[in-house]
PDB file of all heavy atoms in Angstrom:
ATOM      1  N   SER O 185       5.934   8.210   5.792  1.00  0.00           N
ATOM      2  CA  SER O 185       4.946   7.510   6.507  1.00  0.00           C
ATOM      3  C   SER O 185       4.478   6.486   5.611  1.00  0.00           C
ATOM      4  O   SER O 185       3.822   6.558   4.585  1.00  0.00           O
ATOM      5  CB  SER O 185       3.832   8.445   6.962  1.00  0.00           C
ATOM      6  OG  SER O 185       2.639   7.741   7.350  1.00  0.00           O
ATOM      7  N   VAL O 186       4.650   5.160   6.111  1.00  0.00           N
ATOM      8  CA  VAL O 186       4.140   3.807   5.458  1.00  0.00           C
ATOM      9  C   VAL O 186       2.682   4.070   5.436  1.00  0.00           C
ATOM     10  O   VAL O 186       2.021   3.681   4.423  1.00  0.00           O
ATOM     11  CB  VAL O 186       4.665   2.617   6.037  1.00  0.00           C
ATOM     12  CG1 VAL O 186       3.961   1.408   5.565  1.00  0.00           C
ATOM     13  CG2 VAL O 186       6.156   2.466   5.889  1.00  0.00           C
ATOM     14  N   GLU O 187       2.084   4.519   6.452  1.00  0.00           N
ATOM     15  CA  GLU O 187       0.575   4.582   6.610  1.00  0.00           C
ATOM     16  C   GLU O 187       0.079   5.551   5.527  1.00  0.00           C
ATOM     17  O   GLU O 187      -0.807   5.175   4.781  1.00  0.00           O
ATOM     18  CB  GLU O 187       0.204   5.074   7.942  1.00  0.00           C
ATOM     19  CG  GLU O 187      -1.306   5.085   8.071  1.00  0.00           C
ATOM     20  CD  GLU O 187      -1.718   5.644   9.488  1.00  0.00           C
ATOM     21  OE1 GLU O 187      -0.854   5.593  10.452  1.00  0.00           O
ATOM     22  OE2 GLU O 187      -2.843   6.102   9.642  1.00  0.00           O
ATOM     23  N   TYR O 188       0.631   6.711   5.409  1.00  0.00           N
ATOM     24  CA  TYR O 188       0.240   7.665   4.360  1.00  0.00           C
ATOM     25  C   TYR O 188       0.533   7.128   2.986  1.00  0.00           C
ATOM     26  O   TYR O 188      -0.379   7.331   2.104  1.00  0.00           O
ATOM     27  CB  TYR O 188       1.013   9.062   4.660  1.00  0.00           C
ATOM     28  CG  TYR O 188       0.546  10.081   3.481  1.00  0.00           C
ATOM     29  CD1 TYR O 188      -0.639  10.598   3.565  1.00  0.00           C
ATOM     30  CD2 TYR O 188       1.388  10.312   2.410  1.00  0.00           C
ATOM     31  CE1 TYR O 188      -1.122  11.619   2.742  1.00  0.00           C
ATOM     32  CE2 TYR O 188       1.000  11.317   1.532  1.00  0.00           C
ATOM     33  CZ  TYR O 188      -0.256  11.903   1.608  1.00  0.00           C
ATOM     34  OH  TYR O 188      -0.627  12.782   0.625  1.00  0.00           O
ATOM     35  N   ALA O 189       1.598   6.624   2.710  1.00  0.00           N
ATOM     36  CA  ALA O 189       1.949   6.051   1.346  1.00  0.00           C
ATOM     37  C   ALA O 189       0.972   5.051   0.930  1.00  0.00           C
ATOM     38  O   ALA O 189       0.560   4.855  -0.191  1.00  0.00           O
ATOM     39  CB  ALA O 189       3.391   5.535   1.331  1.00  0.00           C
ATOM     40  N   SER O 190       0.719   4.085   1.925  1.00  0.00           N
ATOM     41  CA  SER O 190      -0.396   3.041   1.625  1.00  0.00           C
ATOM     42  C   SER O 190      -1.710   3.652   1.405  1.00  0.00           C
ATOM     43  O   SER O 190      -2.333   3.030   0.438  1.00  0.00           O
ATOM     44  CB  SER O 190      -0.393   2.201   2.831  1.00  0.00           C
ATOM     45  OG  SER O 190       0.841   1.324   3.033  1.00  0.00           O
ATOM     46  N   LYS O 191      -2.098   4.697   2.105  1.00  0.00           N
ATOM     47  CA  LYS O 191      -3.328   5.297   1.851  1.00  0.00           C
ATOM     48  C   LYS O 191      -3.464   5.808   0.566  1.00  0.00           C
ATOM     49  O   LYS O 191      -4.530   5.677  -0.178  1.00  0.00           O
ATOM     50  CB  LYS O 191      -3.636   6.284   2.960  1.00  0.00           C
ATOM     51  CG  LYS O 191      -4.921   7.054   2.905  1.00  0.00           C
ATOM     52  CD  LYS O 191      -5.035   8.118   3.952  1.00  0.00           C
ATOM     53  CE  LYS O 191      -6.338   8.813   3.995  1.00  0.00           C
ATOM     54  NZ  LYS O 191      -6.814   9.498   2.666  1.00  0.00           N
ATOM     55  N   VAL O 192      -2.458   6.608  -0.022  1.00  0.00           N
ATOM     56  CA  VAL O 192      -2.455   7.183  -1.261  1.00  0.00           C
ATOM     57  C   VAL O 192      -2.585   6.140  -2.327  1.00  0.00           C
ATOM     58  O   VAL O 192      -3.404   6.399  -3.266  1.00  0.00           O
ATOM     59  CB  VAL O 192      -1.241   8.082  -1.424  1.00  0.00           C
ATOM     60  CG1 VAL O 192      -1.106   8.657  -2.772  1.00  0.00           C
ATOM     61  CG2 VAL O 192      -1.305   9.396  -0.494  1.00  0.00           C
ATOM     62  N   GLN O 193      -1.773   5.188  -2.134  1.00  0.00           N
ATOM     63  CA  GLN O 193      -1.883   4.032  -3.262  1.00  0.00           C
ATOM     64  C   GLN O 193      -3.140   3.412  -3.209  1.00  0.00           C
ATOM     65  O   GLN O 193      -3.722   3.152  -4.274  1.00  0.00           O
ATOM     66  CB  GLN O 193      -0.654   3.168  -3.052  1.00  0.00           C
ATOM     67  CG  GLN O 193       0.583   3.815  -3.251  1.00  0.00           C
ATOM     68  CD  GLN O 193       1.811   2.766  -2.910  1.00  0.00           C
ATOM     69  OE1 GLN O 193       2.161   1.876  -3.763  1.00  0.00           O
ATOM     70  NE2 GLN O 193       2.224   2.835  -1.657  1.00  0.00           N
ATOM     71  N   ARG O 194      -3.688   3.101  -2.109  1.00  0.00           N
ATOM     72  CA  ARG O 194      -4.888   2.413  -1.945  1.00  0.00           C
ATOM     73  C   ARG O 194      -6.126   3.244  -2.538  1.00  0.00           C
ATOM     74  O   ARG O 194      -7.028   2.591  -3.098  1.00  0.00           O
ATOM     75  CB  ARG O 194      -5.353   2.073  -0.461  1.00  0.00           C
ATOM     76  CG  ARG O 194      -6.591   1.345  -0.146  1.00  0.00           C
ATOM     77  CD  ARG O 194      -6.773   1.003   1.184  1.00  0.00           C
ATOM     78  NE  ARG O 194      -6.823   2.071   2.169  1.00  0.00           N
ATOM     79  CZ  ARG O 194      -5.843   2.554   3.042  1.00  0.00           C
ATOM     80  NH1 ARG O 194      -4.887   1.770   3.100  1.00  0.00           N
ATOM     81  NH2 ARG O 194      -5.992   3.598   3.761  1.00  0.00           N
ATOM     82  N   GLU O 195      -6.078   4.463  -2.412  1.00  0.00           N
ATOM     83  CA  GLU O 195      -7.207   5.408  -2.877  1.00  0.00           C
ATOM     84  C   GLU O 195      -6.977   5.857  -4.327  1.00  0.00           C
ATOM     85  O   GLU O 195      -7.759   6.580  -4.791  1.00  0.00           O
ATOM     86  CB  GLU O 195      -7.383   6.531  -1.959  1.00  0.00           C
ATOM     87  CG  GLU O 195      -7.762   6.064  -0.633  1.00  0.00           C
ATOM     88  CD  GLU O 195      -7.921   7.163   0.472  1.00  0.00           C
ATOM     89  OE1 GLU O 195      -7.584   8.293   0.051  1.00  0.00           O
ATOM     90  OE2 GLU O 195      -8.278   6.846   1.583  1.00  0.00           O
ATOM     91  N   SER O 196      -5.811   5.584  -4.947  1.00  0.00           N
ATOM     92  CA  SER O 196      -5.476   6.182  -6.199  1.00  0.00           C
ATOM     93  C   SER O 196      -6.047   5.450  -7.355  1.00  0.00           C
ATOM     94  O   SER O 196      -5.780   4.265  -7.553  1.00  0.00           O
ATOM     95  CB  SER O 196      -3.961   6.151  -6.363  1.00  0.00           C
ATOM     96  OG  SER O 196      -3.570   6.457  -7.730  1.00  0.00           O
ATOM     97  N   GLU O 197      -6.638   6.157  -8.291  1.00  0.00           N
ATOM     98  CA  GLU O 197      -7.219   5.637  -9.542  1.00  0.00           C
ATOM     99  C   GLU O 197      -5.979   5.278 -10.378  1.00  0.00           C
ATOM    100  O   GLU O 197      -6.066   4.258 -11.230  1.00  0.00           O
ATOM    101  CB  GLU O 197      -8.150   6.604 -10.242  1.00  0.00           C
ATOM    102  CG  GLU O 197      -9.371   6.942  -9.471  1.00  0.00           C
ATOM    103  CD  GLU O 197     -10.208   7.943 -10.227  1.00  0.00           C
ATOM    104  OE1 GLU O 197     -10.085   8.133 -11.482  1.00  0.00           O
ATOM    105  OE2 GLU O 197     -11.186   8.361  -9.602  1.00  0.00           O
ATOM    106  N   ILE O 198      -4.886   6.060 -10.449  1.00  0.00           N
ATOM    107  CA  ILE O 198      -3.720   5.740 -11.204  1.00  0.00           C
ATOM    108  C   ILE O 198      -3.140   4.345 -10.783  1.00  0.00           C
ATOM    109  O   ILE O 198      -2.699   3.541 -11.670  1.00  0.00           O
ATOM    110  CB  ILE O 198      -2.735   6.832 -11.120  1.00  0.00           C
ATOM    111  CG1 ILE O 198      -3.202   8.158 -11.687  1.00  0.00           C
ATOM    112  CG2 ILE O 198      -1.356   6.445 -11.843  1.00  0.00           C
ATOM    113  CD1 ILE O 198      -3.594   8.063 -13.198  1.00  0.00           C
ATOM    114  N   VAL O 199      -2.961   4.210  -9.611  1.00  0.00           N
ATOM    115  CA  VAL O 199      -2.365   2.978  -9.039  1.00  0.00           C
ATOM    116  C   VAL O 199      -3.341   1.763  -9.295  1.00  0.00           C
ATOM    117  O   VAL O 199      -2.903   0.708  -9.780  1.00  0.00           O
ATOM    118  CB  VAL O 199      -2.174   2.986  -7.495  1.00  0.00           C
ATOM    119  CG1 VAL O 199      -1.743   1.625  -6.971  1.00  0.00           C
ATOM    120  CG2 VAL O 199      -1.118   3.998  -7.177  1.00  0.00           C
ATOM    121  N   ALA O 200      -4.635   1.902  -9.249  1.00  0.00           N
ATOM    122  CA  ALA O 200      -5.585   0.894  -9.550  1.00  0.00           C
ATOM    123  C   ALA O 200      -5.547   0.572 -11.059  1.00  0.00           C
ATOM    124  O   ALA O 200      -5.503  -0.665 -11.463  1.00  0.00           O
ATOM    125  CB  ALA O 200      -6.971   1.382  -9.287  1.00  0.00           C
ATOM    126  N   LYS O 201      -5.239   1.625 -11.949  1.00  0.00           N
ATOM    127  CA  LYS O 201      -5.157   1.444 -13.369  1.00  0.00           C
ATOM    128  C   LYS O 201      -3.685   0.600 -13.601  1.00  0.00           C
ATOM    129  O   LYS O 201      -3.688  -0.321 -14.405  1.00  0.00           O
ATOM    130  CB  LYS O 201      -5.089   2.705 -14.053  1.00  0.00           C
ATOM    131  CG  LYS O 201      -4.978   2.762 -15.657  1.00  0.00           C
ATOM    132  CD  LYS O 201      -5.068   4.097 -16.115  1.00  0.00           C
ATOM    133  CE  LYS O 201      -4.789   4.147 -17.533  1.00  0.00           C
ATOM    134  NZ  LYS O 201      -4.829   5.509 -18.181  1.00  0.00           N
ATOM    135  N   TRP O 202      -2.703   1.001 -12.948  1.00  0.00           N
ATOM    136  CA  TRP O 202      -1.427   0.264 -13.024  1.00  0.00           C
ATOM    137  C   TRP O 202      -1.510  -1.111 -12.670  1.00  0.00           C
ATOM    138  O   TRP O 202      -1.129  -2.046 -13.343  1.00  0.00           O
ATOM    139  CB  TRP O 202      -0.306   1.026 -12.299  1.00  0.00           C
ATOM    140  CG  TRP O 202       0.968   0.313 -12.287  1.00  0.00           C
ATOM    141  CD1 TRP O 202       1.524  -0.502 -11.355  1.00  0.00           C
ATOM    142  CD2 TRP O 202       1.947   0.382 -13.359  1.00  0.00           C
ATOM    143  NE1 TRP O 202       2.778  -1.051 -11.713  1.00  0.00           N
ATOM    144  CE2 TRP O 202       3.052  -0.355 -13.063  1.00  0.00           C
ATOM    145  CE3 TRP O 202       1.947   1.086 -14.514  1.00  0.00           C
ATOM    146  CZ2 TRP O 202       4.227  -0.559 -13.920  1.00  0.00           C
ATOM    147  CZ3 TRP O 202       3.083   1.000 -15.331  1.00  0.00           C
ATOM    148  CH2 TRP O 202       4.155   0.251 -15.022  1.00  0.00           C
ATOM    149  N   ASP O 203      -2.195  -1.471 -11.530  1.00  0.00           N
ATOM    150  CA  ASP O 203      -2.367  -2.687 -11.024  1.00  0.00           C
ATOM    151  C   ASP O 203      -3.212  -3.709 -12.077  1.00  0.00           C
ATOM    152  O   ASP O 203      -2.899  -4.819 -12.293  1.00  0.00           O
ATOM    153  CB  ASP O 203      -3.137  -2.739  -9.670  1.00  0.00           C
ATOM    154  CG  ASP O 203      -2.335  -2.346  -8.577  1.00  0.00           C
ATOM    155  OD1 ASP O 203      -1.090  -2.145  -8.718  1.00  0.00           O
ATOM    156  OD2 ASP O 203      -2.889  -2.030  -7.465  1.00  0.00           O
ATOM    157  N   ALA O 204      -4.177  -3.064 -12.712  1.00  0.00           N
ATOM    158  CA  ALA O 204      -4.947  -3.705 -13.657  1.00  0.00           C
ATOM    159  C   ALA O 204      -4.024  -4.028 -14.884  1.00  0.00           C
ATOM    160  O   ALA O 204      -4.095  -5.047 -15.543  1.00  0.00           O
ATOM    161  CB  ALA O 204      -6.154  -2.909 -14.168  1.00  0.00           C
ATOM    162  N   TYR O 205      -3.165  -2.999 -15.358  1.00  0.00           N
ATOM    163  CA  TYR O 205      -2.217  -3.216 -16.494  1.00  0.00           C
ATOM    164  C   TYR O 205      -1.234  -4.283 -16.124  1.00  0.00           C
ATOM    165  O   TYR O 205      -0.885  -5.070 -17.065  1.00  0.00           O
ATOM    166  CB  TYR O 205      -1.571  -1.813 -16.613  1.00  0.00           C
ATOM    167  CG  TYR O 205      -0.472  -1.884 -17.595  1.00  0.00           C
ATOM    168  CD1 TYR O 205      -0.720  -2.080 -18.956  1.00  0.00           C
ATOM    169  CD2 TYR O 205       0.894  -1.365 -17.285  1.00  0.00           C
ATOM    170  CE1 TYR O 205       0.462  -2.161 -19.878  1.00  0.00           C
ATOM    171  CE2 TYR O 205       1.857  -1.270 -18.208  1.00  0.00           C
ATOM    172  CZ  TYR O 205       1.580  -1.614 -19.502  1.00  0.00           C
ATOM    173  OH  TYR O 205       2.636  -1.521 -20.517  1.00  0.00           O
ATOM    174  N   MET O 206      -0.847  -4.526 -14.921  1.00  0.00           N
ATOM    175  CA  MET O 206       0.131  -5.566 -14.559  1.00  0.00           C
ATOM    176  C   MET O 206      -0.470  -6.792 -14.262  1.00  0.00           C
ATOM    177  O   MET O 206       0.386  -7.911 -14.209  1.00  0.00           O
ATOM    178  CB  MET O 206       0.971  -5.070 -13.272  1.00  0.00           C
ATOM    179  CG  MET O 206       1.833  -3.759 -13.498  1.00  0.00           C
ATOM    180  SD  MET O 206       2.903  -3.835 -14.859  1.00  0.00           S
ATOM    181  CE  MET O 206       4.147  -4.983 -14.109  1.00  0.00           C
ATOM    182  N   LYS O 207      -1.677  -6.950 -14.088  1.00  0.00           N
ATOM    183  CA  LYS O 207      -2.392  -8.212 -13.562  1.00  0.00           C
ATOM    184  C   LYS O 207      -2.128  -9.405 -14.428  1.00  0.00           C
ATOM    185  O   LYS O 207      -2.111 -10.545 -13.980  1.00  0.00           O
ATOM    186  CB  LYS O 207      -3.905  -7.932 -13.590  1.00  0.00           C
ATOM    187  CG  LYS O 207      -4.672  -9.025 -12.865  1.00  0.00           C
ATOM    188  CD  LYS O 207      -6.116  -8.694 -12.666  1.00  0.00           C
ATOM    189  CE  LYS O 207      -6.823  -9.792 -11.964  1.00  0.00           C
ATOM    190  NZ  LYS O 207      -8.229  -9.446 -11.628  1.00  0.00           N
ATOM    191  N   ASP O 208      -1.806  -9.194 -15.731  1.00  0.00           N
ATOM    192  CA  ASP O 208      -1.571 -10.385 -16.662  1.00  0.00           C
ATOM    193  C   ASP O 208      -0.319 -10.996 -16.498  1.00  0.00           C
ATOM    194  O   ASP O 208       0.034 -12.115 -16.920  1.00  0.00           O
ATOM    195  CB  ASP O 208      -1.758 -10.040 -18.046  1.00  0.00           C
ATOM    196  CG  ASP O 208      -0.808  -8.916 -18.563  1.00  0.00           C
ATOM    197  OD1 ASP O 208      -0.407  -8.047 -17.895  1.00  0.00           O
ATOM    198  OD2 ASP O 208      -0.399  -8.977 -19.784  1.00  0.00           O
ATOM    199  N   ILE O 209       0.727 -10.311 -15.787  1.00  0.00           N
ATOM    200  CA  ILE O 209       2.064 -10.839 -15.620  1.00  0.00           C
ATOM    201  C   ILE O 209       2.508 -10.943 -14.097  1.00  0.00           C
ATOM    202  O   ILE O 209       3.387 -11.538 -13.878  1.00  0.00           O
ATOM    203  CB  ILE O 209       3.199 -10.027 -16.430  1.00  0.00           C
ATOM    204  CG1 ILE O 209       3.166  -8.627 -15.855  1.00  0.00           C
ATOM    205  CG2 ILE O 209       2.810 -10.195 -17.894  1.00  0.00           C
ATOM    206  CD1 ILE O 209       4.306  -7.882 -16.536  1.00  0.00           C
ATOM    207  N   LEU O 210       1.771 -10.344 -13.247  1.00  0.00           N
ATOM    208  CA  LEU O 210       2.116 -10.294 -11.840  1.00  0.00           C
ATOM    209  C   LEU O 210       1.186 -11.034 -11.059  1.00  0.00           C
ATOM    210  O   LEU O 210      -0.014 -11.027 -11.156  1.00  0.00           O
ATOM    211  CB  LEU O 210       2.108  -8.746 -11.385  1.00  0.00           C
ATOM    212  CG  LEU O 210       2.596  -8.337  -9.997  1.00  0.00           C
ATOM    213  CD1 LEU O 210       4.110  -8.802  -9.779  1.00  0.00           C
ATOM    214  CD2 LEU O 210       2.400  -6.904  -9.772  1.00  0.00           C
ATOM    215  N   ILE O 211       1.725 -11.711  -9.993  1.00  0.00           N
ATOM    216  CA  ILE O 211       1.038 -12.511  -8.968  1.00  0.00           C
ATOM    217  C   ILE O 211       1.340 -11.782  -7.752  1.00  0.00           C
ATOM    218  O   ILE O 211       2.439 -11.994  -7.091  1.00  0.00           O
ATOM    219  CB  ILE O 211       1.502 -13.954  -8.985  1.00  0.00           C
ATOM    220  CG1 ILE O 211       1.384 -14.687 -10.257  1.00  0.00           C
ATOM    221  CG2 ILE O 211       0.706 -14.704  -7.861  1.00  0.00           C
ATOM    222  CD1 ILE O 211       2.250 -15.978 -10.475  1.00  0.00           C
TER     223      ILE O 211
END
């Protein structure tokens, strides 16, 4: 389910941490 996968990622502290880690190289 794209809806479920998106929800898990949106609410995830781990994904937020990964996004912050990638922010310096990713647009």
Side-chain angles (χ1 to χ4, degrees):
S185 165
V186 168
E187 182 179 338
Y188 179 75
S190 296
K191 179 182 185 303
V192 169
Q193 292 178 86
R194 179 178 60 251
E195 296 173 355
S196 171
E197 291 180 21
I198 297 297
V199 172
K201 185 178 172 183
W202 179 262
D203 288 348
Y205 175 57
M206 297 300 290
K207 191 174 184 174
D208 65 321
I209 62 173
L210 185 62
I211 304 165

